[in-house]
Amino acid sequence: MAENVNTIGVLTSGGDAPGMNAAIRAVVRTALVNGKKVKGIMRGYHGMLEEKIIDMEASSVSDIIQRGGTILGTARCEEFTTKEGQEKGAAICKKHGIDGLVVIGGDGSFRGAQKLSHLGINTIGVPGTIDLDIACTEFTIGFDTAVNTAMEAIDKIRDTSTSHDRCSIIEVMGRHAGYIALWCGIANGAEDILLPERYNYDEQRIINHIIDSRKKGKKHHIIVNAEGIGHSSSMAKRIEAATGMETRATILGHMQRGGNPTCKDRVYATIMGSYAVDLLCQGKSNRVVAYKEGEYVDFEIDEALAMKKDISTYQYNVCRILSR
Ligand code: ADP
Ligand code: F6P
């Protein structure tokens, strides 16, 4: 159980995600309402080690709930993965009076949060990543916006793909996870979805599928390929050579990380930000906020990091059945 906190710090870490600003706003204003001081730490653990720390008022987070990105900036910081870096970070927090900290980021950022908790800084994680790859939660900030952005882009590619009788391979983000690919595969009615969790590198099966579909008169063939598999451009060349169907690859890239957050991302991020501050005010530390089975809940960071999750085989099969 943590001591009562007086000053709450907030940072965003890892890849940015639409909705992080809504979470920052909720953290700052909930903390102020509870009589705490609030400090913003710029550019994640990198800014912590460089003491890029600012005072935050209610007005510091005005007009940001609708904006993508993160007003605090974010970074990946190698130095913070070392014991020395973590001890330096904890000492800097103490120097600035930060005795409570909200870390908005993914699994990697939570590992940093766990270390800070063990070094006496009461720390709570809030899941922020477009990848949806945090095992303890069914929601991560940014996923909903990212899949909607990718879905709209794939709709556009489908128009031109159909006009030209082409096969299109669209590569979506997700690091090692296939959640964005799975959701786009279903939402875009893709003919094939390639997920790192399921793909067996049987390219001949895809080629046969394209040849069969052509015989049935299909005018396009959409393949949603996850970043974790990659190699979309070389795959396109091989598929074109084997099927005779013109094939183009599009890597959607960082456009998936930007843009105004959807309603869902704003609402869930807001509740999670407030929930994180409530945990600190209740004297809790070393926990992450999560959304599971219709409820906002929290887990010990160690327990959360040990959890595993996999994509739904049922959802994957539905997508494959419907594309036959
Ligand atoms: P994400 O938080 O989205 O998973 P990263 O894996 O890049 O993104 O992690 C973000 C940052 O968290 C890293 O750059 C590093 O500063 C910190 N971090 C990652 N792993 C650890 C670790 N094992 N111990 C301490 N800090 C870590
Ligand atoms: O974790 C979010 C994410 O966008 C992943 O989907 C992707 O693999 C990675 O970050 C890209 O990182 P960077 O912006 O550093 O290229």
Side-chain angles (χ1 to χ4, degrees):
M1 186 70 85
E3 302 279 306
N4 196 21
V5 298
N6 294 309
T7 302
I8 294 181
V10 56
L11 64 81
T12 47
S13 168
D16 65 347
M20 280 183 164
N21 280 328
I24 295 167
R25 172 177 173 272
V27 168
V28 171
R29 294 198 174 163
T30 308
L32 291 170
V33 164
N34 280 281
K36 313 297 177 192
K37 284 194 193 143
V38 188
K39 305 225 174 191
I41 300 168
M42 308 302 294
R43 302 197 66 234
Y45 297 121
H46 189 78
M48 179 184 281
L49 297 185
E50 292 198 335
E51 292 195 60
K52 296 272 177 353
I53 298 173
I54 56 167
D55 292 329
M56 296 191 86
E57 311 296 336
S59 60
S60 314
V61 289
S62 294
D63 198 27
I64 66 166
I65 195 166
Q66 78 286 11
R67 283 165 48 193
T70 156
I71 59 158
L72 293 176
T74 185
R76 295 197 167 92
C77 175
E78 195 55 40
E79 188 183 350
F80 202 77
T81 60
T82 65
K83 194 162 173 285
E84 297 70 36
Q86 293 149 15
E87 283 169 356
K88 182 175 165 192
I92 289 170
C93 286
K94 285 176 190 159
K95 178 177 157 192
H96 287 261
I98 295 171
D99 46 10
L101 178 67
V102 178
V103 170
I104 305 165
D107 269 350
S109 305
F110 293 167
R111 286 183 210 287
Q114 180 187 41
K115 305 290 171 20
L116 284 172
S117 295
H118 293 154
L119 290 165
I121 311 297
N122 307 308
T123 307
I124 305 292
V126 170
T129 167
I130 65 162
D131 301 336
L132 195 66
D133 60 348
I134 301 177
C136 68
T137 183
E138 292 155 17
F139 170 87
T140 62
I141 296 170
F143 174 75
D144 191 57
T145 309
V147 281
N148 276 287
T149 301
M151 179 191 74
E152 284 171 20
I154 295 170
D155 281 345
K156 293 184 169 81
I157 292 169
R158 184 180 176 140
D159 288 344
T160 165
S161 198
T162 306
S163 305
H164 285 262
D165 280 19
R166 277 180 177 159
C167 170
S168 287
I169 305 177
I170 301 108
E171 188 172 310
V172 296
M173 276 189 168
R175 206 183 297 207
H176 307 299
Y179 295 97
I180 298 178
L182 174 67
W183 277 61
C184 288
I186 295 171
N188 293 100
E191 277 66 36
D192 280 296
I193 43 170
L194 312 182
L195 313 179
E197 296 88 344
R198 294 288 180 278
Y199 187 48
N200 62 1
Y201 293 86
D202 181 3
E203 221 163 82
Q204 192 56 49
R205 192 201 59 76
I206 302 170
I207 290 164
N208 294 344
H209 189 193
I210 294 171
I211 293 167
D212 284 352
S213 299
R214 295 284 277 173
K215 283 188 194 144
K216 287 183 200 156
K218 275 217 181 186
K219 290 186 69 62
H220 63 254
H221 195 99
I222 301 291
I223 302 173
V224 177
N225 184 29
E227 173 189 24
I229 294 167
H231 303 288
S232 297
S233 300
S234 55
M235 197 186 289
K237 288 199 182 95
R238 288 192 299 274
I239 286 177
E240 180 167 315
T243 62
M245 189 176 195
E246 275 193 319
T247 304
R248 297 286 186 270
T250 307
I251 297 167
L252 293 184
H254 286 84
M255 68 176 290
Q256 295 162 95
R257 286 234 300 261
N260 297 345
T262 58
C263 180
K264 182 172 181 180
D265 272 327
R266 294 180 202 194
V267 171
Y268 283 51
T270 297
I271 307 292
M272 286 184 160
S274 287
Y275 191 116
V277 172
D278 287 343
L279 289 176
L280 286 172
C281 292
Q282 290 159 21
K284 300 206 175 127
S285 176
N286 197 32
R287 301 192 74 78
V288 287
V289 181
Y291 184 83
K292 223 167 169 66
E293 293 166 9
E295 304 278 355
Y296 295 93
V297 292
D298 52 283
F299 295 98
E300 183 94 353
I301 295 187
D302 315 51
E303 184 192 357
L305 290 175
M307 290 181 189
K308 299 263 179 281
K309 78 170 171 185
D310 193 7
I311 60 137
S312 155
T313 299
Y314 184 76
Q315 290 175 26
Y316 176 63
N317 286 339
V318 165
C319 184
R320 294 185 68 176
I321 288 163
L322 296 182
S323 68
R324 274 187 197 145

